[in-house]
Amino acid sequence: MAQILDNELFFKTSFHEEEGYVKSDPSGARPSWNDVVADGGEHDDALMVTHVNQTQDLLRLKSPAVDLQSSDEWIINNGVDVLHLTIQDLLKMGHIVMRNTRNASKHIEISAHIINEFESRIHNAIELYQQRIRWMMEGSKKMFGLIKGNNVGLLIDSSDLNSGPRRMDYLRGLLCLVDEQLCYKKKLFLMSFGTNVTCLWGTSQDVNISILHEARQWIQEQQPRGGCNLLLALRSALNVQELDSLVIVVGGCPDQTSEVLSDYLLQCSLGRQLQIHIVAFDSIDQGHLQCLAEEAGGRFHCYSSWKEDEIYASTNVQLLVNEIRKATDVLNQIHEMRQGMLGDTLISIMQEISTAADKMPPSVFLPKPPNHDGPLNIEIPNFLPKTSAEWLQTNGLKAKKLSLYQVLAPNAYSAVEDFVPILQKNVSSTLHERAMMQFEWHDGTVKNVHVDAPVLYDYQIQLAKVVKTYERRIEWLTNSSRRPWGTVCEKRVVLLVDVSEPNSMHIIHIQHCLRLVLEEQMANKDLFNVIAYGSDIKTWNSEMVPPTAEHLQNAWRWVLSLQCDGGRNVLAALKAAVEVNFIDKENQESQGIYLFTSGIPDQDVHAVSAYLSEAASGSDLQLHVCFFNINEIDTDNNLENTTCALKQLAHATNGRFHWFDDKAMIESDDISSIVSEMKKAVSYSRKCAYLVESLKQRARSKGRSEAVPEAAVVPYQKEKTKPRKLPPPKPTALSLARTGLKEDQEKKESSPKPLMWRPSSAKADIPPAQPLKDWHPSSTNKKGKQKRSPKMSYNVFYTENGKNVGITYKEYPMAKTVRKSVPFIVLPKEEEICSTKEWMKKYSLKRLKLELPKLIFGPDCTHQKRMVPSLHKQISAKYCTIFPSVEVNGVVKHLQFQPKELEDYTEQAEKVLRRYIQRMQWLLSGSRQLFGAILEGMVCLVIDASAYMAPFWIELQKGLTSLLWEQLRTRNIWFNMISFSESIDSWQECLVEATDEACHDAVRWISRLTPQGNTCIFHALEKGLELPDVQGLYVLTDGKPDSSYNLLLAENVLKSQPIKIHTISFNTSKGGGNELLKTMAALSGGRYHSRHGDMDGHLAAHRMLTEGFTDEDDPVLPIFEGDDLRRLAKEITKGRQFITQARRFQSLILQKQKLDSDLCLEGSENSSNEVAARKKHLPSTGV
């Protein structure tokens, strides 16, 4: 083909193929016409000398038939139902036995051999469907799908949305489509559409070499032309009557709606056998295009260059995925049969195992990945991997000089401090504080920084680029063999593999992990060895050998023969690795042991750590632990102990810890280092934003101060003075003002000390001393006794504007105290639909003025003592004997309330507490117990349907049904629901009103959900936030996302949206999952809710309402995790404490009154002294 086309490089597709790989395309990929080989064709010399077009056409006609079946046609012959692989087909192979029992239930007996053979057929069928999917993702079929029909019309989108960097891939894909599929059609018609349409030919043309050449040249010449007028293109293309297939390739968003386009297609295609094939090529309107294809009765294909999983929405691929799901459901039902029941039918599997089969290991019957027993596909890495700590030494923020302190250092200055002789003290300069920003340095000191906004803007852009680099490394660390093993960095490596008895059902997974590391990370090492340990130690080779292809294949065959047995003799395995493989440890460098285990060692962890420390001393030997969680640990406490023990082993030799399960990576030291660096970059970016915002605020405040003069600023006139030789310090207006307005003139009789004197300069002169109008020196000639006016304390200072002096009040006259009374409280009986935080703003004890210390203790209640010079001691005030005293926060105060007032306070406080408890019972009732109160009028429920939710699934479905009818339907809330696991499923495309029909349909949709797969919570949040008019998202999950390292991305998404996200946790244990949900709710301004402690809350509320508030410690309220209940319980606890204190104060006052009455009756001096002694020992109460 190179002899025909002008630019050979332009026609290369974007699909990479391995060297030596011969591409086989069932759709009939057309090779270059110079190299056509027709196998099995008859040799005819006369034919071969005819015209080249005739030869090419004839060879194509004589080529064997290609597979052009669509998925629905292919499934007719290869579907699960056609292959008789349904559960009904399996039950037909057994025989029914009726038991002579009262219930007379069905009992089916099936041979174990039949079930094993049936399972094998299902696995083969699943492999066949997966192979078909892989075939659908090759070449042009991945971009455009499988093109049907003989007379094909191709409509190409040439709108402006297809311009830009992806345009070259778009044109290359079209050329690939012409070379691989369209060249085998009979007739071809090409049209491009933008704002207008352009046709290559007026009618359809027979396919030949010249037509194909014209088509390629026309595709290369396509340019963007405005909008996407698909309706006009359909109107022109449907006039070509010879077409039996219409392929529409859309890369943008059609100008018309899908309803208009589908109606036009249906009306124009009546009576015609026309196949519609719509392709969404990197389109932003995939949903509407899919609806258009379904309404028109055609096929839909989706291709996205940035989201590989979008292709699974294609019609041909989706049909195959549905067949795989059917087969998987049959396997699950067979698993139930092995448990003995299938619905209400009893199943017995007849054991027909021979003696030879009885000796076979259990791993033979476990499912295996494709080509599990085949030879290794060895890849030689072209670089030496590094740990994240080593990688950050060259790519970290400090290494790239992107630390914020490195950027600010050239413009950062420390405060200047110097000794002023005339003041006899050190004085700090204030010029930099007014001209620069104050910023706390990393060592705790405060420096003056000149803020350059453009520099900080460029710095933030560089930080964003570095964070993207860190994200790519995290993605690289979580792929392929690095997911179970991490990065194998050393040159001399020994792999220790745990083959103990608990791993017997996971041996295939362990072997697959070993296969990955042998294929991808061992080929560039100097030496390696593999050791398997259970109770006994098994070594592949007696010593380490170079990783040649032969050695790696031999090691893999040895791994396939491993069987699980015994315990975990880790200490013996480490001794075999160290004492046999690392004998010359003093002369070797870069040595590593990788311990692949699923639990703690049989030996004491401290003994193993001590041996490792001794063995690694003086050499470069590190132990890295790869913890494979096989879910055999029942409690979180055991899991925490296991991880702590394995971390101790890894860190004993400065190694790394790696934790994963069969679904995803859980924890990794390598990734934690990268995440820590990313958090540091985010912190630097926030500090930059703070500096810029502070600079803007200072500029705005300075502008306002210049526009509006301050009222407190007193201007002074400048008076010129002649220079003198050695003049004494001259007092200024500031010094005289401060001297005249000092606080304690009665105590200080000496002359006032002048304030700091500043010498004159060429730029500014100190204004002359002028007395203030309101200030008069102290005079001894006072006529008569005058009433002393309340004194006020001033603070005088120089301002920034010229030589003006400002005055601020430092102390105010003491106001008269007013005796407070107990308020009468009236609270509404109806519950308000709001959060506890909003409710407490109106009805808290502080808002209702029922806080006991503020109510009964005023400023004049303080117990005062004064020094009496004649007695040389402090004497209490006279009224101290009148009122009883209590100690409040270490200060003795007097009670001035009467018992009746305290009784009224107790009555009002108990009334408020009863209302609090009624609201707590309301929050614990109905669907609010599980989900809390729905506050907004337009909400979206984001439901976690992953496998982690299986223990709570029945409770969740019942609770959701109650939520729909109790809260959403009652208040006519507009709502939608999104479920997420490995994929995201939406109930509706937009919010709908909670009518009876909508609620019934939502309940049916919930009942069809099943918990399975992993968790992708952040993608579900993004989809929920994209819903129009949504006001709140309610996330129902256990708080354990697989992508736990996307917290920074989630933080940016949550802060950029005004929508509140309320998180609801089904995880009763205190772990990182709940902390993640609390963080998400706090970032978006939402609430966190947990169902923990609900039953105890009902019991405590009932007891308090029936028994009263006689004891503040009984009953004890449970510790609520949710925000609403936690705030309410905290306020209830505070109220109970106030009631208990009020009763104690009332008892104390009554006791004091009784003592006073006894004092009046006795009347004698002795009795008075006795009563005084009794009062001296009166007990005090702490508040």
Side-chain angles (χ1 to χ4, degrees), residues 312 522 678 781 828 946 995 1156:
Y312 289 97
M522 285 292 112
M678 293 174 68
N781 300 327
S946 63
T995 60
D1156 291 341

Side-chain angles (χ1 to χ4, degrees), residues 181-248:
Q181 297 193 58
L182 298 184
C183 64
Y184 287 91
K185 306 302 179 183
K186 292 183 179 179
K187 289 189 176 183
L188 190 61
F189 176 77
L190 297 182
M191 174 188 294
S192 66
F193 60 93
T195 304
N196 299 314
V197 297
T198 303
C199 301
L200 178 58
W201 310 291
T203 59
S204 60
Q205 301 292 323
D206 294 333
V207 176
N208 53 47
I209 293 298
S210 60
I211 290 298
L212 294 177
H213 181 64
E214 291 180 16
R216 296 188 192 96
Q217 294 293 342
W218 181 75
I219 290 174
Q220 295 180 58
E221 296 169 359
Q222 291 301 309
Q223 297 295 332
R225 298 193 308 274
C228 183
N229 195 348
L230 181 55
L231 182 61
L232 180 61
L234 292 175
R235 182 180 302 173
S236 302
L238 292 175
N239 292 330
V240 183
Q241 298 297 327
E242 299 86 1
L243 301 180
D244 59 1
S245 178
L246 190 62
V247 181
I248 305 171

Side-chain angles (χ1 to χ4, degrees), residues 380-570:
I380 301 178
N382 54 5
F383 66 95
L384 184 63
K386 297 180 180 180
T387 63
S388 291
E390 297 173 348
W391 186 80
L392 288 175
Q393 291 179 0
T394 56
N395 296 276
L397 296 176
K398 188 174 182 180
K400 290 182 174 292
K401 297 183 179 181
L402 288 178
S403 172
L404 180 59
Y405 305 105
Q406 292 174 316
V407 176
L408 296 178
N411 296 324
Y413 305 93
S414 301
V416 179
E417 185 174 350
D418 198 0
F419 181 78
V420 179
I422 194 169
L423 298 177
Q424 295 298 314
K425 65 178 182 180
N426 291 329
V427 178
S428 299
S429 65
T430 60
L431 176 62
H432 292 85
E433 294 182 2
R434 294 193 293 266
M436 298 184 180
M437 304 300 301
Q438 285 66 53
F439 184 72
E440 184 177 358
W441 216 245
H442 58 83
D443 56 356
T445 61
V446 178
K447 293 192 176 185
N448 300 309
V449 179
H450 172 68
V451 178
D452 192 347
V455 172
L456 293 183
Y457 177 74
D458 295 338
Y459 172 65
Q460 287 183 312
I461 293 177
Q462 295 179 14
L463 282 181
K465 294 180 180 179
V466 172
V467 169
K468 289 182 179 180
T469 304
Y470 295 158
E471 291 176 351
R472 288 196 297 269
R473 178 166 178 87
I474 289 177
E475 183 180 0
W476 178 76
L477 288 172
T478 54
N479 287 334
S480 303
S481 63
R482 291 172 294 277
R483 189 176 73 86
W485 292 92
T487 54
V488 181
C489 304
E490 293 79 9
K491 301 297 291 182
R492 306 173 77 244
V493 177
V494 174
L495 305 179
L496 298 184
V497 185
D498 181 3
V499 290
S500 57
E501 178 62 28
N503 294 337
S504 58
M505 300 305 296
H506 303 273
I507 185 62
I508 300 298
H509 193 95
I510 294 173
Q511 290 174 348
H512 184 67
C513 293
L514 280 168
R515 178 188 180 96
L516 290 177
V517 74
L518 291 175
E519 286 180 341
E520 299 177 1
Q521 300 197 56
M522 285 292 112
N524 63 341
K525 307 303 176 188
D526 293 342
L527 299 171
F528 85 104
N529 199 357
V530 184
I531 299 176
Y533 69 92
S535 296
D536 301 327
I537 308 302
K538 306 172 186 176
T539 59
W540 166 63
N541 204 2
S542 59
E543 59 182 3
M544 288 194 293
V545 296
T548 62
E550 181 181 359
H551 287 159
L552 290 174
Q553 298 291 355
N554 292 337
W556 171 239
R557 286 191 292 270
W558 178 81
V559 168
L560 289 175
S561 64
L562 293 177
Q563 300 300 328
C564 296
D565 189 19
R568 298 187 181 96
N569 194 351
V570 176

Side-chain angles (χ1 to χ4, degrees), residues 239-275:
N239 292 330
V240 183
Q241 298 297 327
E242 299 86 1
L243 301 180
D244 59 1
S245 178
L246 190 62
V247 181
I248 305 171
V249 182
V250 182
C253 180
D255 296 342
Q256 297 81 20
T257 62
S258 59
E259 292 81 8
V260 173
L261 296 174
S262 61
D263 291 340
Y264 184 80
L265 272 175
L266 291 175
Q267 293 176 12
C268 295
S269 60
L270 287 176
R272 294 182 59 179
Q273 297 295 330
L274 182 63
Q275 303 180 50

Side-chain angles (χ1 to χ4, degrees), residues 850-869:
L850 283 179
E851 288 188 324
L852 186 61
K854 294 183 179 180
L855 189 64
I856 66 176
F857 296 120
D860 53 355
C861 293
T862 306
H863 177 70
Q864 298 181 359
K865 288 185 178 182
R866 288 194 176 184
M867 176 65 68
V868 178

